[in-house]
Amino acid sequence: MGLAASQARLLTITARKSDCEYESMILSHQKIALSREMSQLSAEYDDAIQQTKLVYDYYGQTSETTPLNYSLMMTPSALNNYIPLLVTDNGGRVVLDGRLAKAARDAGIPQEGLDGLPSSDIRNAFIDSLASTGYISQNTAENIKKTTYNQMAGVGSCDLVNINTTEGTLTDLIEMVSTQYFDFSDITSFKNEFVDAVHLEERKNGTNTTAGNKITFADILNNDYMLLAETVDDGRDGLAFNNLTVDGGVTDVICGMSLWDTMFETFEGILNTGDEYTQAALAYARRMISDMVTNLGAGMDTGKAYGHSGDGTGTVGTEEGKDYHEDGKNIHDNFGDWRFVGESYDSEVNRYARDDISADVIGLNGIYNQDCTGGDKDDDSCMSMATINISSMFKAYLTYFAQYMEGIGDSSYEVNKTKTSSNLIDDMFTFTMVTDVDTSGDNLLIAAFYDTLFNQICTKGWTENDKVSDQEYLQESMKNGNMYISTLADDGYYYQGNYATHRYIKEITDEEAIAQAEAKYNREKEKLSYKENILDMKMKNLDTEISSLTTEYDTIKSVISKNIEKGFKRYQA
């Protein structure tokens, strides 16, 4: 190879070798970058496997399925017991999403809050704005505005539900319960081996007639309705009475406390305004009726005091028997009335006896057929019966309520054995009645929720943050101490605290996030390993080429040196 050619080749090799070394340097830097990425990926994975999440366990069942989020805290539901869990910032202001912030602006509430508590007009403007953005339905908005605005909800009052009430007389109360029913549809189930028949009867013009088994409270209060039960009897003297008094017999059936639960619940739902004195009056009325019914039933269980052994062997119709009857009857002196009827009757006796039952008696009332010697002892002539005047018991309940409200010692109202000897409830007493009985309980609770939220926005101020609706953002903000939770305390005020102090909020390991992080780590690690392998292969090839170029470079350089040496020798010769 000539000198010129050798020099040209040497320059080519030098250039290529420089290129290879430069490429090798770039690959080396890329490998270092991959190493940094791997270190960062490992650090992220280490952080990820420590991830936690906030869950809400309202029912205390160690549930980890309900994540803590803005909607759960700031939307009324059974999960938050219809009481807002406020998201607040470092300054204690309520953090609002876009739609809530718009409602605050539309209602004219500045971000620093108001100096005092607002009017119902401002509250209604806030509610209307929520409906306009679809945050609540229009129907919900109308129901909220129907309730009286509770200006103290969450600012000193724990009673968040502000119940609407009206005042009225007994006539007004009767109108209010005109759609409430006393339902005896399953009345036939009361029959047993001692009880032949149970049904409702209405007293009109001195005659009792069988009535339907489903009657409105208004009809009961406006008329005379009695629950009547007749005994089963096989014709033996004394058993008709025994079936009145035996456990499971007639008096047990019509004195059963479950019969009066509907009455208690209906009147308490209308008259319970939340006032402690009113609640005490309702408890008093319930207790008096319960005691009356229980004692009347228990009094009849003295059966043998009525002049009968209960097995058909007792003395009947004698003065001694009548004395025993009077002794037993004394138990019912307050509210009961029991009488003997003739000594020998045909099968029509019970109709006449039924009509003879006094509608004037308030409590337990009945007739015992003392003698079955005449006629067919297997016919109706040996049956006895007992009744409770439901209409009188309803009025007695309301009378006890009015008596307590006026002061038991001061009230003119009184319940005695009969209606004529009593001074039962009338239109002279004024009831305070809840007017929201036709609105579901949830609607009242929802109204209380938004009243409470509204009051906090007005008193604490507010700030807008659209990101707060993002669950991950909210939870991280709380864990980082950028946001807090304000909750209603026993004194009726809201106090700000850390999520860790809230009894329903738990911080748990986020298994799902950890699994996702692990999958991401393995995926990214595999990608980096693949890239590193490619770089290693390229660097190895470059190293091989550089080694080859170096060898060739040295060879050509040696050839050039020899050619130069020969040329000098030639010219020296």
Side-chain angles (χ1 to χ4, degrees):
M1 179 182 293
L3 182 60
S6 296
Q7 289 177 332
R9 178 58 181 163
L10 186 65
L11 291 174
T12 301
I13 292 173
T14 301
R16 177 56 186 161
K17 185 179 178 182
S18 295
D19 288 342
C20 288
E21 289 173 344
Y22 178 72
E23 289 183 33
S24 180
M25 181 183 67
I26 292 176
L27 293 176
S28 177
H29 288 166
Q30 289 179 351
K31 189 169 182 179
I32 292 172
L34 286 178
S35 179
R36 285 197 298 266
E37 285 186 49
M38 189 65 194
S39 297
Q40 183 178 353
L41 182 63
S42 297
E44 289 177 356
Y45 177 65
D46 289 339
D47 290 338
I49 61 176
Q50 304 299 323
Q51 283 190 86
T52 60
K53 63 180 179 180
L54 303 180
V55 295
Y56 191 76
D57 184 23
Y58 176 70
Y59 296 106
Q61 299 174 342
T62 65
S63 171
E64 299 180 354
T65 59
T66 306
L68 182 70
N69 56 58
Y70 190 77
S71 177
L72 183 150
M73 300 170 69
M74 302 288 277
T75 303
S77 72
L79 280 177
N80 54 34
N81 199 28
Y82 295 91
I83 299 174
L85 283 173
L86 302 176
V87 181
T88 50
D89 65 6
N90 291 321
R93 296 179 301 175
V94 184
V95 180
L96 304 180
D97 67 7
R99 289 186 291 179
L100 282 171
K102 180 181 183 302
R105 282 192 294 269
D106 290 347
I109 307 170
Q111 288 192 281
E112 63 273 16
L114 298 171
D115 291 334
L117 290 171
S119 66
S120 59
D121 290 339
I122 299 177
R123 175 263 217 165
N124 290 343
F126 178 79
I127 296 301
D128 285 335
S129 181
L130 291 180
S132 70
T133 60
Y135 194 88
I136 60 175
S137 69
Q138 190 61 48
N139 183 59
T140 297
E142 293 304 318
N143 281 328
I144 292 173
K145 291 191 293 182
K146 286 178 184 177
T147 63
T148 303
Y149 164 48
N150 188 351
Q151 199 176 50
M152 298 303 295
V155 284
S157 173
C158 290
D159 187 7
L160 305 183
V161 178
N162 197 2
I163 298 175
N164 294 333
T165 60
T166 187
E167 292 188 345
T169 64
L170 176 62
T171 300
D172 298 318
L173 177 61
I174 291 174
E175 175 66 25
M176 187 168 283
V177 296
S178 61
T179 58
Q180 302 296 317
Y181 284 89
F182 208 55
D183 193 348
F184 284 90
S185 298
D186 61 345
I187 200 168
T188 56
S189 66
F190 297 169
K191 295 174 61 176
N192 56 42
E193 61 180 310
F194 310 111
V195 182
D196 181 70
V198 182
H199 53 264
L200 288 172
E201 295 206 349
E202 183 181 7
R203 181 81 168 187
K204 284 185 177 180
N205 301 320
T207 301
N208 293 348
T209 57
T210 301
N213 292 329
K214 188 175 181 182
I215 305 172
T216 68
F217 275 46
D219 282 342
I220 291 173
L221 286 166
N222 284 325
N223 300 288
D224 267 322
Y225 282 96
M226 292 178 283
L227 178 62
L228 180 145
E230 296 175 331
T231 65
V232 172
D233 190 51
D234 62 2
R236 289 182 294 162
D237 291 342
L239 284 187
F241 181 80
N242 187 60
N243 289 341
L244 283 171
T245 63
V246 70
D247 287 344
V250 167
T251 53
D252 277 357
V253 167
I254 65 174
C255 288
M257 283 309 305
S258 61
L259 293 177
W260 310 103
D261 286 343
T262 301
M263 178 184 74
F264 294 144
E265 292 169 3
T266 299
F267 284 131
E268 286 172 2
I270 295 173
L271 300 176
N272 186 2
T273 60
D275 172 72
E276 290 185 5
Y277 193 81
T278 302
Q279 291 173 337
L282 290 168
Y284 172 76
R286 177 187 276 257
R287 185 176 70 254
M288 294 300 290
I289 293 297
S290 300
D291 288 349
M292 180 194 301
V293 175
T294 302
N295 291 335
L296 287 171
M300 271 304 299
D301 288 338
T302 62
K304 300 174 182 57
Y306 279 69
H308 295 279
S309 63
D311 59 3
T313 62
T315 303
V316 181
T318 64
E319 290 302 318
E320 180 185 10
K322 292 179 181 179
D323 289 341
Y324 283 132
H325 171 80
E326 291 301 320
D327 289 341
K329 182 174 174 292
N330 285 337
I331 298 173
H332 301 281
D333 273 347
N334 287 331
F335 305 106
D337 185 39
W338 290 89
R339 285 165 284 153
F340 292 109
V341 292
E343 296 184 356
S344 179
Y345 290 93
D346 60 27
S347 60
E348 293 298 317
V349 65
N350 279 308
R351 170 54 57 193
Y352 297 130
R354 183 178 297 117
D355 289 345
D356 192 44
I357 291 176
S358 173
D360 188 44
V361 176
I362 288 178
L364 198 62
N365 187 9
I367 293 180
Y368 165 57
N369 186 2
Q370 67 171 4
D371 190 352
C372 294
T373 58
D376 186 351
K377 293 176 183 282
D378 292 327
D379 65 23
D380 289 343
S381 65
C382 294
M383 297 177 71
S384 298
M385 65 193 67
T387 69
I388 282 187
N389 190 314
I390 295 175
S391 296
S392 295
M393 293 294 276
F394 271 45
K395 291 178 181 177
Y397 173 86
L398 295 174
T399 300
Y400 282 126
F401 173 79
Q403 190 181 58
Y404 191 98
M405 292 296 292
E406 291 184 342
I408 296 175
D410 300 325
S411 177
S412 62
Y413 290 110
E414 186 178 13
V415 179
N416 291 316
K417 175 179 175 179
T418 63
K419 290 184 286 185
T420 53
S421 64
S422 302
N423 184 20
L424 299 179
I425 190 71
D426 55 25
D427 273 346
M428 297 302 294
F429 180 78
T430 300
F431 291 96
T432 299
M433 298 171 288
V434 177
T435 59
D436 291 310
V437 290
D438 60 340
T439 304
S440 73
D442 282 358
N443 283 335
L444 292 176
L445 294 172
I446 290 170
F449 180 98
Y450 284 108
D451 281 350
T452 306
L453 174 59
F454 174 72
N455 287 343
Q456 292 304 302
I457 293 172
C458 291
T459 57
K460 299 291 180 62
W462 58 276
T463 182
E464 183 176 3
N465 187 335
D466 276 332
K467 292 182 180 179
V468 75
S469 297
D470 181 85
Q471 178 178 305
E472 184 176 351
Y473 173 83
L474 173 66
Q475 292 199 8
E476 286 303 314
S477 296
M478 288 187 173
K479 287 188 282 186
N480 293 336
N482 294 325
M483 290 185 186
Y484 297 86
I485 294 178
S486 290
T487 55
L488 184 66
D490 292 338
D491 63 359
Y493 289 94
Y494 269 83
Y495 295 97
Q496 182 172 272
N498 186 277
Y499 71 89
T501 63
H502 197 283
R503 58 179 174 171
Y504 298 135
I505 298 174
K506 298 187 299 183
E507 186 173 5
I508 63 172
T509 300
D510 193 345
E511 301 290 350
E512 182 180 356
I514 290 174
Q516 292 176 352
E518 186 173 1
K520 178 183 177 182
Y521 173 76
N522 291 331
R523 184 172 62 253
E524 295 301 322
K525 181 182 177 181
E526 187 176 347
K527 289 180 181 179
L528 292 176
S529 296
Y530 175 76
K531 290 179 180 180
E532 188 175 25
N533 290 335
I534 296 295
L535 291 176
D536 286 341
M537 183 179 65
K538 288 182 178 181
M539 291 178 71
K540 185 176 181 181
N541 290 339
L542 285 173
D543 287 343
T544 301
E545 185 176 358
I546 289 171
S547 178
S548 175
L549 289 170
T550 300
T551 301
E552 185 178 0
Y553 178 87
D554 291 341
T555 301
I556 294 175
K557 188 175 180 181
S558 177
V559 170
I560 292 173
S561 296
K562 289 180 179 180
N563 286 339
I564 292 173
E565 185 179 350
K566 286 179 181 180
F568 277 116
K569 287 181 179 181
R570 183 179 304 118
Y571 290 122
Q572 287 175 353

